Amino acid sequence: MSMPASLFIFSLVFLVTSPVLADLRLDGGTNFGWEADKWRLQVDGVMGGQSSGSLDFDDSNTIMSFSGNVILDGGGFSSVRKERFNAIDLTPYAGIVIQMETTEPFYSDGDDGIQPPLGLHLQFHDTSSYYGYASAFTIPLSSVAGEETSVYLPLSSFDRGSRMGFQCNSCKIDFSSVNEMDIYVLFQARRFNVRVKSITAVDTTMRFPSPVISIASKNDVQSLIDNTIQSGVKLYNYGYAELCIAVYRSTLNTILAADFDNGSDVSRLLRGMICQGFQRAETQSNSKPDVAWTLRYTLNGILEELGFLDSSQGTGWRPNVSMADSLADQCSGVTSGAFTSNTNEPTTALSTSSPTSGDPTFAPTTTVRSTPTHTPTAIIKTSTLPTTPPPTLTPTAIIKTTTLPTTSPPTLTPTTVMKTTSLPTEPAVPEDLNNIPDKMPSPLTDSSLINKEGSQETIDATVSENILAENSSTSLHFGSYLVVFANLSLAVVLHLCSYCR
């Protein structure tokens, strides 16, 4: 049956005249600036930490500048928070765009090598939930600081519900009544500088290209990956798999978009390997630990292919080098998430190419499997992996046990809290994606990558002492006092009963 002409004309007029959903400014922007009086700073001093932070509004109130230093001893975060505002409905929108300036130049002065991208949380609160809900992102690396860039966060990525270190895996945000907003720097021991220009809700999925950097040699790739793994390891072990994934992805996207002068063979090889990792991670989107491990395996594979790790001792999945060339053109570097040929999403046309002035002029060396003449400065294989697979653990892999006395103690001294710090080594992962283990140990436990800050035991102990210490130690000490109180009460009752006889 054909559509009546009048109905067809009405439908056409409705489509033409229906208003397009406008972007919703949450704060910032050149037209209105920031609502500076509604933002405040909060650092981990509230829980005994030593991290610092400062909040300023620059360039005629068009840039929110949040800087400071995160220290893991006793805490580990610095944040800025916008106080409660009239609830807004974000359900018609697809995601959030954060427009900002880059603050981490790829080449900078210092002895720590090339710094990894800084991971952050954007967190929303609603009017009915006890928890806040965060999405992880990074400030992309660039050739020089001050380049304008943007990241896109789909609303579905705001799925980490937490409050004061306690996480709720079954909770969901009510996007119809959002009334608070925070930005966090978490568990990355470093100085930071965050410069945000605007935060906007948009009605379409967007992708922004990574800033283009010029990589001088494969040693620079090694330095970047080494430091990225160090950062991701700590984040994963503290229970922040989302931030670990964001940092790993950001580094891989940086390499994917990089300009390898006179090094097209190296560039295509690495791009193809990264694309394999991204495509594999897409099939694991329902498991954050699996995604984190796939990206970690991709980083390991690159180090092996460049000759910085011994491939004969590595475990787990690796990109297939023989397929790299055919996949080299199927992925593009973006500032958040991953963009592959299997992703039917538009890439926003936004020029973020870095200035070429000041970039190194010498070309990267040729990819080799033998040990490079340049001695790796950070991550080196020093031990052989065990032949038997270790037991799997939860992502944090931190176990704390309390040893209770068998007899009532003479005083009210709390019982000793024993912390176990030994973690398993990296297990082999089957090629069949359907057989990937549900639980994965922390990336820190890959014995093929020894943390340059100290021994495995030292790093594990540091993680054990810091991860949610304010919550776990409180509950353990409280339980210890209850046991002591019960034992003393029993002793008093027995003593009184002796007089009754």
Side-chain angles (χ1 to χ4, degrees):
M1 180 179 296
S2 60
M3 179 184 295
S6 59
L7 180 59
F8 174 78
I9 294 173
F10 173 80
S11 300
L12 183 61
V13 171
F14 178 80
L15 289 174
V16 172
T17 59
S18 295
V20 177
L21 183 64
D23 294 341
L24 177 63
R25 167 189 168 272
L26 301 182
D27 211 339
T30 55
N31 293 332
F32 299 97
W34 289 85
E35 299 177 80
D37 59 332
K38 295 184 178 180
W39 286 86
R40 62 184 176 89
L41 178 75
Q42 183 166 325
V43 297
D44 55 16
V46 297
M47 51 186 283
Q50 305 175 50
S51 300
S52 63
S54 65
L55 176 61
D56 299 292
F57 294 88
D58 301 335
D59 294 351
S60 301
N61 202 40
T62 60
I63 294 180
M64 181 171 69
S65 178
F66 167 40
S67 59
N69 186 23
V70 171
I71 299 174
L72 300 186
D73 294 339
F77 76 86
S78 186
S79 67
V80 287
R81 307 181 181 189
K82 186 175 183 180
E83 65 183 25
R84 291 186 179 181
F85 45 83
N86 293 332
I88 56 177
D89 184 4
L90 295 181
T91 55
Y93 298 90
I96 305 297
V97 170
I98 305 172
Q99 186 182 16
M100 56 188 170
E101 291 183 354
T102 62
T103 54
E104 291 287 348
F106 190 73
Y107 294 100
S108 59
D109 296 333
D111 299 327
D112 297 329
I114 298 172
Q115 289 297 305
L118 177 70
L120 302 101
H121 269 176
L122 175 64
Q123 181 170 265
F124 289 133
H125 304 258
D126 62 36
T127 58
S128 60
S129 178
Y130 175 78
Y131 297 94
Y133 299 85
S135 178
F137 67 101
T138 68
I139 302 176
L141 298 177
S142 60
S143 290
V144 296
E147 294 186 33
E148 183 176 308
T149 187
S150 298
V151 298
Y152 170 82
L153 306 176
L155 291 189
S156 59
S157 68
F158 290 83
D159 59 354
R160 182 186 174 89
S162 64
R163 183 183 179 92
M164 298 178 66
F166 293 95
Q167 190 172 354
C168 180
N169 294 321
S170 61
C171 301
K172 292 185 178 179
I173 187 173
D174 179 7
F175 276 113
S176 67
S177 61
V178 173
N179 69 338
E180 289 186 64
M181 180 167 52
D182 319 318
I183 297 177
Y184 274 85
V185 180
L186 291 151
F187 297 110
Q188 296 157 92
R190 61 189 288 183
R191 295 188 178 278
F192 65 87
N193 184 18
V194 181
R195 292 176 61 82
V196 184
K197 303 187 76 171
S198 65
I199 303 175
T200 307
V202 297
D203 66 343
T204 56
T205 299
M206 307 181 77
R207 288 289 184 265
F208 300 92
S210 290
V212 178
I213 62 173
S214 179
I215 295 182
S217 73
K218 64 179 183 179
N219 295 323
D220 294 335
V221 176
Q222 180 240 0
S223 178
L224 172 60
I225 292 179
D226 284 359
N227 289 324
T228 294
I229 290 176
Q230 302 302 323
S231 178
V233 159
K234 290 184 174 67
L235 290 168
Y236 190 100
N237 280 359
Y238 275 105
Y240 290 87
E242 301 88 353
L243 277 170
C244 174
I245 291 170
V247 170
Y248 284 172
R249 269 187 176 146
S250 184
T251 285
L252 291 169
N253 273 310
T254 291
I255 299 172
L256 196 61
D259 178 14
F260 289 79
D261 293 338
N262 301 321
S264 58
D265 291 340
V266 175
S267 177
R268 289 190 64 82
L269 172 67
L270 301 189
R271 287 205 306 266
M273 294 176 70
I274 292 169
C275 196
Q276 286 183 64
F278 281 170
Q279 290 179 352
R280 187 176 195 262
E282 282 183 1
T283 69
Q284 303 168 315
S285 57
N286 62 338
S287 172
K288 294 175 183 177
D290 287 355
V291 171
W293 267 115
T294 287
L295 300 178
R296 168 66 179 276
Y297 290 145
T298 304
L299 293 168
N300 287 3
I302 292 174
L303 289 177
E304 290 172 356
E305 188 60 25
L306 294 180
F308 292 103
L309 290 179
D310 184 357
S311 60
S312 65
Q313 295 187 29
T315 61
W317 177 85
R318 294 294 188 271
N320 188 336
V321 176
S322 64
M323 298 174 56
D325 188 72
S326 63
L327 295 173
D329 299 322
Q330 294 189 20
C331 297
S332 301
V334 290
T335 57
S336 58
F339 185 79
T340 72
S341 60
N342 298 329
T343 307
N344 296 320
E345 298 174 351
T347 300
T348 302
L350 177 66
S351 176
T352 58
S353 298
S354 302
T356 57
S357 60
D359 290 339
T361 57
F362 49 97
T365 56
T366 305
T367 302
V368 293
R369 280 189 174 274
S370 58
T371 303
T373 56
H374 172 83
T375 303
T377 57
I379 297 180
I380 308 172
K381 271 188 179 292
T382 60
S383 61
T384 304
L385 293 173
T387 56
T388 57
T392 57
L393 294 175
T394 56
T396 56
I398 303 298
I399 307 170
K400 295 184 179 180
T401 59
T402 304
T403 302
L404 298 177
T406 56
T407 60
S408 69
T411 65
L412 290 177
T413 303
T415 55
T416 302
V417 178
M418 303 297 294
K419 300 179 182 179
T420 61
T421 58
S422 58
L423 298 176
T425 54
E426 173 183 317
V429 174
E431 294 295 334
D432 184 1
L433 295 178
N434 295 323
N435 293 326
I436 293 177
D438 293 332
K439 302 295 184 182
M440 304 176 69
S442 159
L444 180 60
T445 64
D446 182 1
S447 62
S448 67
L449 297 169
I450 301 300
N451 194 307
K452 64 181 179 181
E453 295 180 17
S455 66
Q456 186 73 49
E457 290 75 18
T458 300
I459 299 303
D460 291 347
T462 300
V463 174
S464 296
E465 292 170 1
N466 284 289
I467 178 171
L468 303 181
E470 72 277 12
N471 300 321
S472 57
S473 62
T474 299
S475 59
L476 287 173
H477 289 169
F478 182 72
S480 301
Y481 278 116
L482 287 179
V483 172
V484 173
F485 180 79
N487 288 334
L488 290 176
S489 299
L490 180 60
V492 171
V493 171
L494 292 176
H495 181 69
L496 292 176
C497 287
S498 65
Y499 286 98
C500 297
R501 292 195 298 260

